[in-house]
């Protein structure tokens, strides 16, 4: 007999997990590939479905822009992405990625991918945020790391040069002092005129 | 003698703690609904606090780097102080310690100045500066005085 614990364990092990990116940056006029894949304990069924919905920034409504079912992809032919959307995924390999072409600032928003692999249908859709820029901004932390690295590198360099100078000066002082003591100098090294 | 030592060390540690708090807690600008920091911006909305990473601008990253560098240099200065305390000969001066501490104070000063000057670009006029900003400005003279004391101080037995 199945107890409640068994049922929850069964449910958890059969939940489908969907992966998309977290955030994507793109330049105006470029194309971008939004990837979506899933993990499921079951074999990939023939009735696997992928659907993408789009919610513009600042809006509360989502609109459906792509659906794959029964082995046939259906792309948006009425909405904001008509003629700009292409299906580049491979459902047999659990890949439901789409390609958006010729991006514009109005494409900023959140894209949600929902995949179902019957009978494994319990899962959470995953969202990826698209940010369209005129020019690519500097990644957070790059300049911070660069400044810190340069300053610390200079510090290490100065310390190394200081110790090197001290070593060279000490060696030169040692050579001079060795030469000035007569009995201490091997003949080969102390020829006059050889510096 | 021991009192002097304790006083100097506590001054140094106080400056270091101020630097830490200023960098990490980082409430650099506040207003009624937002706090804006070196690292994240938080806005009070209907659903609670909504935070997003600070803008990826060049200047805010420079301020981040300068604050972190000042902490590193102050740490190094404390470490060097203890090293020099035991290895310096009598009558010697703590030049290296003082140099690092003064450098740390200069970094804090540069960071605070850059933040002050460039902040008109990323905060509104209704915002006021938060306590971390003030702590940074307080840490600067503390570190400077501490560094100068090290430079003037002579080692006695």
């Amino acid at each position: 007999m199945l107890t409640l614990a068994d049922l929850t364990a069964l449910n958890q092990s059969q939940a489908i997990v969907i992966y998309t990116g977290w955030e994507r940056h793109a330049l105006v006029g470029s194309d971008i590939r939004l990837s979506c894949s899933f993990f499921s304990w079951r074999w990939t069924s023939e009735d696997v479905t992928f659907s993408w919905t789009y919610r513009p920034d600042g809006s509360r409504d989502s609109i459906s822009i792509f659906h794959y079912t029964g082995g046939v992809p259906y792309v948006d032919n009425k909405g904001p992405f008509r003629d700009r959307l292409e299906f580049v995924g491979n459902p047999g390999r659990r890949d439901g990625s789409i390609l958006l072409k010729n991006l514009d600032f109005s494409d900023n928003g959140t894209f949600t991918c929902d995949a179902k692999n019957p009978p494994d249908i319990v899962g959470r859709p995953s969202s990826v945020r698209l940010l369209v820029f005129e020019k690519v901004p500097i990644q957070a932390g790059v300049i911070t790391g660069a400044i810190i690295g340069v300053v610390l590198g200079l510090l290490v360099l100065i310390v190394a040069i200081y110790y090197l100078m001290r070593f060279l000066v000490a060696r030169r002082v040692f050579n001079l002092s060795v030469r000035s003591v007569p009995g201490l100098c091997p003949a080969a090294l102390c020829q006059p005129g050889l510096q | 003698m021991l009192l002097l030592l304790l006083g100097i060390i506590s001054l140094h540690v106080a400056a270091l703690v101020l630097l830490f708090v200023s960098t990490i807690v980082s409430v650099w600008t506040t207003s009624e609904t937002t706090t804006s920091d070196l690292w994240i911006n938080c806005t009070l909305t209907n659903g609670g606090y909504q935070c997003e990473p600070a803008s990826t601008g060049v200047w805010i990253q420079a301020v981040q780097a300068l604050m972190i560098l000042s902490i590193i240099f102050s740490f190094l200065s404390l470490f060097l102080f203890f090293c020099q305390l035991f290895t310096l000969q009598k009558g010697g001066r703590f030049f290296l310690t003082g140099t690092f501490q003064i450098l740390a104070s200069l970094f804090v000063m540069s960071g605070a100045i850059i933040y002050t000057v460039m902040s008109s670009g990323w905060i509104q006029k209704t915002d006021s500066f938060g306590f971390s900003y003030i702590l940074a400005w307080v840490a600067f003279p503390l570190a400077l005085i501490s560094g100068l004391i090290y430079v003037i101080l002579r080692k006695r037995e």
Side-chain angles (χ1 to χ4, degrees):
Chain A
M1 193 177 80
L2 282 175
T3 64
L4 192 64
D6 290 6
L7 276 176
T8 41
L10 209 60
N11 271 341
Q12 281 197 331
S13 70
Q14 289 208 350
I16 189 174
V17 183
I18 302 177
Y19 304 106
T20 61
W22 181 251
E23 215 175 61
R24 289 276 178 271
H25 298 190
L27 291 173
V28 179
S30 68
D31 303 341
I32 190 160
R33 179 176 197 264
L34 297 175
S35 66
C36 177
S37 66
F38 66 87
F39 172 79
S40 162
W41 288 104
R42 299 232 168 223
W43 297 111
T44 310
S45 120
E46 281 170 7
D47 301 326
V48 66
T49 64
F50 287 97
S51 45
W52 281 92
T53 55
Y54 167 64
R55 181 168 61 84
D57 262 352
S59 161
R60 275 166 176 251
D61 312 314
S62 321
I63 148 177
S64 188
I65 57 171
F66 173 79
H67 194 65
Y68 175 93
T69 184
V72 180
Y74 298 93
V75 296
D76 173 17
N77 54 3
K78 291 186 179 55
F81 293 102
R82 58 175 166 278
D83 302 330
R84 291 199 290 149
L85 193 72
E86 198 183 314
F87 179 58
V88 293
N90 189 346
R93 288 189 198 275
R94 303 183 169 187
D95 178 15
S97 310
I98 54 172
L99 181 73
L100 298 175
K101 296 187 244 190
N102 201 11
L103 290 168
D104 191 30
F105 290 119
S106 57
D107 297 331
N108 270 302
T110 310
F111 291 80
T112 308
C113 176
D114 192 10
K116 300 204 186 308
N117 183 29
D120 203 357
I121 55 152
V122 179
R124 277 201 189 85
S126 172
S127 305
V128 54
R129 195 145 172 252
L130 179 66
L131 295 160
V132 182
F133 296 100
E134 209 165 89
K135 59 179 175 112
V136 182
I138 303 164
Q139 288 252 328
V142 164
I143 295 183
T144 312
I147 294 178
I148 294 178
V150 163
V151 171
L152 290 181
L154 275 176
L155 188 69
V156 168
L157 197 68
I158 291 174
V159 167
I161 289 179
Y162 170 73
Y163 275 112
L164 192 70
M165 300 298 290
R166 231 168 66 154
F167 171 69
L168 286 176
V169 165
R171 207 168 69 153
R172 182 155 176 81
V173 164
F174 174 72
N175 276 345
L176 285 174
S177 67
V178 157
R179 250 178 260 279
S180 69
V181 176
L184 205 61
C185 205
L189 217 59
C190 290
Q191 309 261 352
L194 249 178
Q195 275 296 342
Chain B
M1 177 59 199
L2 195 61
L3 214 60
L4 183 67
L5 196 64
L6 278 178
I8 290 173
I9 292 180
S10 49
L11 181 66
H12 191 142
V13 169
L16 189 60
V17 165
L18 283 183
L19 284 175
F20 252 116
V21 170
S22 169
T23 308
I24 293 175
V25 170
S26 195
V27 175
W28 284 61
T29 61
T30 55
S31 74
E32 259 146 67
T33 53
T34 65
T35 66
S36 164
D37 311 15
L38 289 183
W39 311 101
I40 51 173
N41 299 330
C42 287
T43 317
L44 187 61
T45 60
N46 276 339
Y49 266 106
Q50 196 177 17
C51 292
E52 55 181 40
S55 59
T56 55
V58 174
W59 292 109
I60 194 88
Q61 294 195 32
V63 177
Q64 291 173 358
L66 285 170
M67 293 304 292
I68 292 179
L69 277 173
S70 74
I71 290 180
I72 292 177
F73 272 68
S74 198
F75 245 132
L76 282 176
S77 161
L78 193 65
F79 173 68
L80 278 173
F81 176 61
F82 284 115
C83 282
Q84 286 199 308
L85 200 62
F86 296 121
T87 62
L88 211 58
Q89 62 262 60
K90 189 170 170 186
R93 285 184 147 149
F94 295 86
F95 270 133
L96 213 54
T97 308
T99 313
F100 273 74
Q101 186 73 335
I102 291 177
L103 277 177
S105 79
L106 286 178
F107 284 139
V108 172
M109 183 184 76
S110 325
I113 286 177
I114 291 178
Y115 192 85
T116 313
V117 168
M118 303 309 293
S119 66
S120 56
W122 58 63
I123 60 167
Q124 295 102 324
K125 298 230 189 302
T126 56
D127 292 352
S128 56
F129 287 114
F131 72 89
S132 291
Y133 175 77
I134 297 171
L135 283 184
W137 274 115
V138 168
F140 154 58
L142 277 184
L144 192 64
I145 292 172
S146 173
L148 286 174
I149 289 180
Y150 283 128
V151 167
I152 298 173
L153 196 69
R154 279 190 196 279
K155 182 168 182 199
R156 274 172 283 174
E157 273 317 306

